[in-house]
Amino acid sequence: MDNKVIIFDTTLRDGEQALTASLSVHEKLQIAQAIERLGVDIIEAGFPVSSPGDFNSVQQIAKTVKNSIVCGLSRAVEADIKACADALSVADQFRIHTFISTSDVHVQQKLRKDFADVEAMAIHAVKYARRFTDDVEFSCEDAGRTPIDNLCRMVEQAIKAGATTINIPDTVGYTLPHEFGGIIDTLFNRVPNIDQAVISVHCHNDLGLAVANSVAAVQAGARQIECTVNGIGERAGNASLEEAAMIIKTRQDLLGVHTGINHQEIAKTSKLVSHLCNMPVQPNKAIVGGNAFSHSSGIHQDGMLKASNTYEIMTPESVGISKTKLNLTSRSGRHVIKHRMESLGYQENDYDLNTLYQDFLKLADKKGQVFDDDLEALLFNIQQSDNQEHYRIEDLNVLSGSGEFATAGVKFAIGDTVEVASATGNGPVDALYQAIKKCIDFDIEVADYKISNKGAGEDGLGVANLVVQWQNRKFHGYGIATDVIEASGQAFVSALNAIYRAQQIKNIREQKAIEKIANI
Ligand code: KIV
Ligand code: ZN
């Protein structure tokens, strides 16, 4: 049996479907490219039939990504599979992933069918998908709770129909490692044509066992793990990619398998996904949590000083975390910034050194010392406002104290015009948001607003994360500055620009539809 474990990343599908505010096409592309650099074998880019926005982003990713196979999800129906094929056909290599539920509770309660109907649908779906590509994956949704005889039957039929990968999801995160490993073992023992497909697993984390179950499955012969960066996904999430990859690397002695993951890209990819998805990583999270490589107790620190393997089973450098801390100030030259970015894992073509350096100097003037976190924050800010944005704050003034009201005045650019407005509010941020709202001609509601800090102590930068609701959709905005009011203003404006971009995409789509009708 091949000892390579294929890493199938579903951050942009299972992960994205669980976010409060959906990602823009640009953000999805940024994540897809980071995941490609991470060395993932297959990127599940979305569920094309679910919305025109998803179709568009899957297509853009399929056009851009070259080193990973791009995959789309479809239910076991022709319309879904056709949408996948249409979105993916621009890719160099693509996979269609089709699925149907196989557990009694799903078949009877959710689908209101019997198992024979579901089996027929699965066979038809796989055969139909094979018309578009030789790379077809079939998933038995809720396999973890499927009677084993039915599961064996379904797997055998799907392989016979042409599926080249069979995925066994523990959709509700119910099984225990030995039990899940046992299911995989049984499939290997009982399905006669099992050697004609790769066996994959897709575990959810409802009981905190997603990664443990995936590893148990690998020990039983599975050779594909479906996972997400930082473990994001439905409910308690999916198996975390970084944990699965580092277990396989660190315990190679016992597992005897490997992946194609570039481990040093892990920390950087985790930060990008956390930032763009507005999903903070818990400090004690394995591999990528802020404390994953910190040692607090005196005994541990003493051990670490004597030999790092006393308390570290892997080094932070092995996942791309750099230990050296340089204090950067306004006297640090451009080459120092470039060098620092390199040691943080960013290559020159990931960013524009001139822009970054100018922003760095401004920040260094305000803050004195600039830390690694600050540099990354500046980079995220630049990436966010890469294009000349439609909405911009040109100037803002806020007055607040212990009195009842705060007052804000704003000079606000919309495209080529500039508006000036002022408003009061029940705090400085509210006053600022009321003033901006006077400048725009549509109403939005703030659904969530969080202020946190990035970087060291009171010297850290203020970070604002905001979710706004507009026309039944949620949009995420992000701002970072030395001043929390300024960061909050940036977050509001970045959410407005996300709405603007979504609206433009909608207009283009409507225009195309009108042209199509006119041409008929
Ligand atoms: O959890 C699940 O079963 C899924 C399938 C669509 C693979 O996400
Ligand atoms: Zn899932």
Side-chain angles (χ1 to χ4, degrees), residues 295 297-312 323:
H295 304 271
S297 104
I299 296 174
H300 289 207
Q301 287 174 352
D302 177 56
M304 282 296 293
L305 289 174
K306 289 173 177 148
S308 66
N309 64 357
T310 51
Y311 287 102
E312 266 179 9
K323 262 191 174 165

mmCIF file of all heavy atoms in Angstrom, residues 295 297-312 323:
data_model
loop_
_atom_site.group_PDB
_atom_site.id
_atom_site.type_symbol
_atom_site.label_atom_id
_atom_site.label_comp_id
_atom_site.label_asym_id
_atom_site.label_seq_id
_atom_site.Cartn_x
_atom_site.Cartn_y
_atom_site.Cartn_z
ATOM 1 N N HIS A 295 6.578 28.308 27.245
ATOM 2 C CA HIS A 295 6.810 27.497 28.437
ATOM 3 C C HIS A 295 6.695 28.407 29.646
ATOM 4 O O HIS A 295 7.447 29.369 29.765
ATOM 5 C CB HIS A 295 8.183 26.831 28.359
ATOM 6 C CG HIS A 295 8.314 26.012 27.117
ATOM 7 N ND1 HIS A 295 7.955 24.696 27.067
ATOM 8 C CD2 HIS A 295 8.702 26.361 25.863
ATOM 9 C CE1 HIS A 295 8.135 24.249 25.833
ATOM 10 N NE2 HIS A 295 8.585 25.249 25.092
ATOM 11 N N SER A 297 6.056 27.347 33.294
ATOM 12 C CA SER A 297 6.547 26.979 34.627
ATOM 13 C C SER A 297 8.071 27.040 34.694
ATOM 14 O O SER A 297 8.765 26.798 33.686
ATOM 15 C CB SER A 297 6.051 25.582 34.998
ATOM 16 O OG SER A 297 7.085 24.654 34.859
ATOM 17 N N GLY A 298 8.572 27.388 35.855
ATOM 18 C CA GLY A 298 10.016 27.523 36.048
ATOM 19 C C GLY A 298 10.738 26.235 35.711
ATOM 20 O O GLY A 298 11.802 26.251 35.068
ATOM 21 N N ILE A 299 10.173 25.108 36.115
ATOM 22 C CA ILE A 299 10.830 23.809 35.868
ATOM 23 C C ILE A 299 10.948 23.574 34.361
ATOM 24 O O ILE A 299 11.980 23.146 33.850
ATOM 25 C CB ILE A 299 10.024 22.673 36.539
ATOM 26 C CG1 ILE A 299 10.035 22.868 38.058
ATOM 27 C CG2 ILE A 299 10.550 21.305 36.149
ATOM 28 C CD1 ILE A 299 9.159 21.907 38.842
ATOM 29 N N HIS A 300 9.858 23.900 33.646
ATOM 30 C CA HIS A 300 9.882 23.700 32.191
ATOM 31 C C HIS A 300 10.907 24.632 31.536
ATOM 32 O O HIS A 300 11.662 24.220 30.662
ATOM 33 C CB HIS A 300 8.491 23.960 31.595
ATOM 34 C CG HIS A 300 7.493 22.891 31.933
ATOM 35 N ND1 HIS A 300 6.416 22.596 31.131
ATOM 36 C CD2 HIS A 300 7.407 22.052 32.987
ATOM 37 C CE1 HIS A 300 5.719 21.620 31.682
ATOM 38 N NE2 HIS A 300 6.307 21.276 32.823
ATOM 39 N N GLN A 301 10.906 25.901 32.008
ATOM 40 C CA GLN A 301 11.848 26.857 31.404
ATOM 41 C C GLN A 301 13.282 26.403 31.637
ATOM 42 O O GLN A 301 14.128 26.454 30.741
ATOM 43 C CB GLN A 301 11.622 28.256 31.980
ATOM 44 C CG GLN A 301 10.335 28.873 31.456
ATOM 45 C CD GLN A 301 10.005 30.192 32.108
ATOM 46 O OE1 GLN A 301 10.657 30.610 33.071
ATOM 47 N NE2 GLN A 301 8.980 30.852 31.603
ATOM 48 N N ASP A 302 13.526 25.892 32.836
ATOM 49 C CA ASP A 302 14.863 25.401 33.158
ATOM 50 C C ASP A 302 15.236 24.243 32.222
ATOM 51 O O ASP A 302 16.329 24.214 31.645
ATOM 52 C CB ASP A 302 14.874 24.949 34.630
ATOM 53 C CG ASP A 302 16.216 24.360 35.006
ATOM 54 O OD1 ASP A 302 17.222 25.069 34.834
ATOM 55 O OD2 ASP A 302 16.258 23.191 35.448
ATOM 56 N N GLY A 303 14.280 23.326 32.039
ATOM 57 C CA GLY A 303 14.509 22.186 31.143
ATOM 58 C C GLY A 303 14.803 22.655 29.732
ATOM 59 O O GLY A 303 15.752 22.202 29.079
ATOM 60 N N MET A 304 14.013 23.626 29.265
ATOM 61 C CA MET A 304 14.179 24.130 27.900
ATOM 62 C C MET A 304 15.552 24.742 27.685
ATOM 63 O O MET A 304 16.147 24.606 26.614
ATOM 64 C CB MET A 304 13.109 25.199 27.603
ATOM 65 C CG MET A 304 11.746 24.655 27.302
ATOM 66 S SD MET A 304 11.722 23.673 25.804
ATOM 67 C CE MET A 304 12.043 24.902 24.560
ATOM 68 N N LEU A 305 16.047 25.440 28.731
ATOM 69 C CA LEU A 305 17.364 26.068 28.592
ATOM 70 C C LEU A 305 18.451 25.001 28.488
ATOM 71 O O LEU A 305 19.472 25.196 27.815
ATOM 72 C CB LEU A 305 17.641 26.999 29.778
ATOM 73 C CG LEU A 305 16.796 28.284 29.783
ATOM 74 C CD1 LEU A 305 17.017 29.064 31.060
ATOM 75 C CD2 LEU A 305 17.132 29.138 28.558
ATOM 76 N N LYS A 306 18.206 23.858 29.142
ATOM 77 C CA LYS A 306 19.229 22.794 29.108
ATOM 78 C C LYS A 306 19.163 22.029 27.781
ATOM 79 O O LYS A 306 20.180 21.736 27.174
ATOM 80 C CB LYS A 306 19.045 21.865 30.293
ATOM 81 C CG LYS A 306 19.454 22.581 31.598
ATOM 82 C CD LYS A 306 19.134 21.759 32.805
ATOM 83 C CE LYS A 306 19.621 22.476 34.062
ATOM 84 N NZ LYS A 306 18.780 22.195 35.213
ATOM 85 N N ALA A 307 17.968 21.677 27.369
ATOM 86 C CA ALA A 307 17.803 20.966 26.086
ATOM 87 C C ALA A 307 16.354 21.123 25.661
ATOM 88 O O ALA A 307 15.448 20.745 26.420
ATOM 89 C CB ALA A 307 18.137 19.481 26.249
ATOM 90 N N SER A 308 16.120 21.656 24.462
ATOM 91 C CA SER A 308 14.741 22.003 24.078
ATOM 92 C C SER A 308 13.857 20.760 23.946
ATOM 93 O O SER A 308 12.641 20.840 24.129
ATOM 94 C CB SER A 308 14.727 22.832 22.804
ATOM 95 O OG SER A 308 15.200 22.041 21.746
ATOM 96 N N ASN A 309 14.473 19.588 23.686
ATOM 97 C CA ASN A 309 13.601 18.413 23.559
ATOM 98 C C ASN A 309 13.104 17.880 24.913
ATOM 99 O O ASN A 309 12.380 16.899 24.981
ATOM 100 C CB ASN A 309 14.260 17.313 22.717
ATOM 101 C CG ASN A 309 15.496 16.763 23.369
ATOM 102 O OD1 ASN A 309 15.906 17.236 24.430
ATOM 103 N ND2 ASN A 309 16.106 15.774 22.717
ATOM 104 N N THR A 310 13.474 18.569 26.010
ATOM 105 C CA THR A 310 12.898 18.156 27.302
ATOM 106 C C THR A 310 11.394 18.420 27.322
ATOM 107 O O THR A 310 10.627 17.661 27.890
ATOM 108 C CB THR A 310 13.559 18.901 28.487
ATOM 109 O OG1 THR A 310 13.529 20.309 28.209
ATOM 110 C CG2 THR A 310 14.972 18.446 28.741
ATOM 111 N N TYR A 311 10.982 19.528 26.698
ATOM 112 C CA TYR A 311 9.548 19.858 26.710
ATOM 113 C C TYR A 311 8.981 20.183 25.333
ATOM 114 O O TYR A 311 7.852 20.624 25.244
ATOM 115 C CB TYR A 311 9.278 21.016 27.684
ATOM 116 C CG TYR A 311 9.382 20.573 29.123
ATOM 117 C CD1 TYR A 311 10.515 20.856 29.878
ATOM 118 C CD2 TYR A 311 8.359 19.821 29.715
ATOM 119 C CE1 TYR A 311 10.632 20.427 31.181
ATOM 120 C CE2 TYR A 311 8.463 19.381 31.021
ATOM 121 C CZ TYR A 311 9.605 19.683 31.752
ATOM 122 O OH TYR A 311 9.701 19.246 33.040
ATOM 123 N N GLU A 312 9.773 20.003 24.275
ATOM 124 C CA GLU A 312 9.233 20.273 22.936
ATOM 125 C C GLU A 312 9.433 19.053 22.058
ATOM 126 O O GLU A 312 10.562 18.624 21.845
ATOM 127 C CB GLU A 312 9.927 21.499 22.316
ATOM 128 C CG GLU A 312 9.160 22.773 22.578
ATOM 129 C CD GLU A 312 9.821 24.029 21.998
ATOM 130 O OE1 GLU A 312 10.800 23.915 21.243
ATOM 131 O OE2 GLU A 312 9.339 25.126 22.312
ATOM 132 N N LYS A 323 11.683 32.226 16.081
ATOM 133 C CA LYS A 323 11.877 32.555 17.500
ATOM 134 C C LYS A 323 12.618 33.873 17.690
ATOM 135 O O LYS A 323 12.416 34.565 18.669
ATOM 136 C CB LYS A 323 12.647 31.433 18.191
ATOM 137 C CG LYS A 323 11.716 30.482 18.926
ATOM 138 C CD LYS A 323 12.513 29.561 19.798
ATOM 139 C CE LYS A 323 11.624 28.694 20.660
ATOM 140 N NZ LYS A 323 12.386 27.584 21.217
#
